[in-house]
Amino acid sequence: MARLTVTGGRPLSGSVRISGSKNASVAMIPAALLASGVSVLENVPEIVDVDVFGRILSQLGARVSREEGRGLVIDPNGFKTWEAPYELVKKLRASYYLLGVLLARFGRAEVALPGGCNIGLRPIDQHIKGFRALGAEVVLEHGVVKAWTKGKGLKGAPVYLDVVSVGATINIMLAAVLADGLTVIENAAKEPHVVNLANYLNSMGAKVQGAGTDVIRIKGVKRLTGSQHPVIPDEVEAATFMVAAAATGGDVLVTNVIPKHLDSVSAKLREAGVEVIENGDSVRVVGPGRPRAVNVKTLPYPGFPTDCQQVFAALMARADGISMIQETIYDNRFGYANELIRMGASIKVDGRTAIIEGVDRLFGAPVTAIDLRAGAAMVVAGLSAQGKTDVYGVDHIERGYERLVDKLVGLGAEVSLVK
Ligand code: EPZ
């Protein structure tokens, strides 16, 4: 079975360049299908989730290729079908963005309910509420979401989201850009990749205003053209390296980041006694011998990201004192705690709260990455532990981290992929 073997105890040092954002890429790739011409997305990471989405688009009839020095080239001509069956979409949660895109393009969509990380219930009622507000009929039949418009297609409308949902905000934006009239999304998600997508759509000729605030106004246009647009740096990958530097008492320059997107993580690291120095598009992180225990509560952006609490827990496992991590976004995102306990961590989980009593040292052990971010936590724990940690479930990690082993080795870590 493939595993990552990590020998801990070496402080990370040097510099690491952060790749493009996974979650921005998986929204922008399907968005390219809304245009009548070719788009080129720059800085798209080479990760499994991107490959899978590329294959989904190819099977729907679009042409997707990577061109050296240009980026991911997506030609939507040839894209003709409104059906995305389970075999195609099961591996990727973000395939639900095809619902918004297909509805916008064809007034009809049939997309199987997607897969993705198993981190608790992940309903899509808010996406459906949005499509219905825009005039679509939506039913769920045999695991497939079927949506269609009657008459003249989607019509702009106000949509109030009951929960702040990144996915629903993006999907409604995708559906609304070609709708007739004005759509206003209230209580919208403000994550950086929502803004990245809005900027890409606008570069294609869309009229999206207010992305990054909780009210997004989308004035429908008749057609969109292809465009060349960059994907923002991945803030979760950046946070992972920042926390890894802190956990190993290292000194790492994390480059190609937007420090503003990392404010909540930097603030918590500083509270824990870690030095975080911002300089342009990089941050330098200098870890202390042992971090102080701090409490974390996950919240929608600009709060502390749910995708970063796992690596933070790995850091807190060795902190001086007791820390509390509250997860407010998902109902089951502490599955990794059992794995950290195998390495000597002292963690109690009570519902959506993990209480971590810092220990002097963690010990290497065989552990399993039960999902993507849990996998990152195992690697960070392994880097700061004594001895060898074998991390199984590598496929989860490869979904979202580009060249993780090479990047860690470049920072002096002893890590290898055993196939
Ligand atoms: C996105 O998931 C990310 N995925 C997740 O990244 C991330 O954890 C999450 O946003 C929160 O930041 C992608 O961008 C592909 P949500 P998404 O809709 O859009 C509830 C990672 O590791 N909700 O913002 O699916 C939902 O159950 C991951 O990279 C509804 O109730 O998340 C959750 O409690 C995993 N009804 C909360 O809202 C809905 O219709 C936030 O979910 C939609 C969501």
Side-chain angles (χ1 to χ4, degrees):
M1 244 204 291
R3 62 183 189 274
L4 280 184
T5 297
V6 184
T7 306
R10 291 186 174 204
L12 298 185
S13 79
S15 91
V16 61
R17 186 181 163 81
I18 297 307
S19 303
S21 158
K22 166 181 90 82
N23 289 340
S25 299
V26 297
M28 289 160 73
I29 290 169
L33 298 178
L34 292 168
S36 56
V38 176
S39 278
V40 182
L41 300 177
E42 300 161 0
N43 202 30
V44 175
E46 291 191 39
I47 53 173
V48 170
D49 272 11
V50 162
D51 291 348
V52 171
F53 223 147
R55 264 182 273 140
I56 293 177
L57 258 56
S58 303
Q59 295 202 27
L60 295 178
R63 286 227 303 265
V64 183
S65 59
R66 253 184 204 279
E67 285 183 19
E68 199 60 39
R70 275 186 95 199
L72 194 73
V73 181
I74 304 173
D75 180 352
N77 294 302
F79 159 58
K80 286 190 183 65
T81 173
W82 58 81
E83 281 174 288
Y86 186 63
E87 306 81 77
L88 274 189
V89 305
K90 66 181 175 197
K91 285 196 182 143
L92 188 70
R93 173 128 193 109
S95 52
Y96 56 31
Y97 292 142
L98 289 169
L99 278 168
V101 167
L102 296 168
L103 257 181
R105 276 290 302 266
F106 303 121
R108 188 166 172 191
E110 292 191 6
V111 180
L113 275 177
C117 285
N118 187 7
I119 50 182
L121 278 181
R122 299 179 79 182
I124 60 163
D125 55 305
Q126 299 303 303
H127 305 228
I128 292 174
K129 175 179 170 174
F131 300 147
R132 287 193 175 133
L134 268 60
E137 300 282 326
V138 188
V139 294
L140 175 64
E141 268 177 17
H142 308 292
V144 177
V145 183
K146 299 186 176 177
W148 66 95
T149 59
K150 289 179 299 189
K152 289 195 179 148
L154 296 173
K155 266 187 123 43
V159 183
Y160 178 83
L161 296 180
D162 300 330
V163 290
V164 179
S165 160
V166 175
T169 302
I170 287 178
N171 230 341
I172 297 166
M173 259 163 67
L174 293 170
V177 280
L178 292 173
D180 179 23
L182 181 69
T183 298
V184 181
I185 309 175
E186 296 205 54
N187 200 24
K190 295 181 275 201
E191 266 66 3
H193 49 290
V194 173
V195 181
N196 198 191
L197 173 69
N199 289 339
Y200 170 48
L201 291 169
N202 286 340
S203 74
M204 295 158 92
K207 295 208 161 98
V208 181
Q209 276 185 342
T213 76
D214 49 19
V215 182
I216 302 180
R217 300 165 72 85
I218 305 139
K219 205 164 162 218
V221 295
K222 291 260 182 289
R223 64 190 285 272
L224 297 175
T225 54
S227 122
Q228 176 142 1
H229 205 78
V231 171
I232 54 170
D234 195 305
E235 74 276 19
V236 186
E237 189 201 8
T240 302
F241 280 100
M242 290 166 74
V243 174
T248 58
D251 182 348
V252 172
L253 187 68
V254 184
T255 68
N256 188 38
V257 297
I258 300 174
K260 180 86 199 128
H261 295 170
L262 295 162
D263 275 353
S264 59
V265 174
S266 300
K268 279 293 153 189
L269 284 173
R270 287 186 183 118
E271 253 183 67
V274 180
E275 241 187 292
V276 181
I277 307 139
E278 292 172 12
N279 187 5
D281 67 353
S282 62
V283 282
R284 182 175 161 209
V285 178
V286 185
R290 194 177 177 193
R292 283 193 290 273
V294 295
N295 296 333
V296 164
K297 183 174 182 175
T298 66
L299 286 170
Y301 188 83
F304 191 94
T306 169
D307 298 340
C308 298
Q309 54 97 337
Q310 305 76 352
V311 286
F312 216 82
L315 176 70
M316 289 298 102
R318 273 191 49 254
D320 186 9
I322 296 176
S323 55
M324 207 164 68
I325 298 191
Q326 267 179 284
E327 170 59 55
T328 75
I329 309 293
Y330 292 109
D331 54 16
N332 184 14
R333 223 176 177 186
F334 287 123
Y336 63 86
N338 272 331
E339 302 301 301
L340 288 181
I341 288 168
R342 297 165 66 82
M343 300 176 72
S346 169
I347 308 179
K348 287 203 173 69
V349 176
D350 184 5
R352 286 182 167 208
T353 304
I355 299 147
I356 307 175
E357 198 177 336
V359 292
D360 280 344
R361 56 179 68 91
L362 296 174
F363 299 98
V367 290
T368 300
I370 57 159
D371 62 53
L372 170 61
R373 307 305 172 189
M378 296 305 115
V379 173
V380 169
L383 290 168
S384 69
Q386 276 188 356
K388 192 180 87 164
T389 297
D390 280 323
V391 184
Y392 293 89
V394 177
D395 48 332
H396 283 299
I397 300 175
E398 289 175 337
R399 279 189 37 219
Y401 287 89
E402 185 179 55
R403 297 192 305 101
L404 179 66
V405 172
D406 293 349
K407 289 185 182 187
L408 286 171
V409 168
L411 294 172
E414 216 179 311
V415 182
S416 58
L417 176 63
V418 183
K419 285 272 183 190

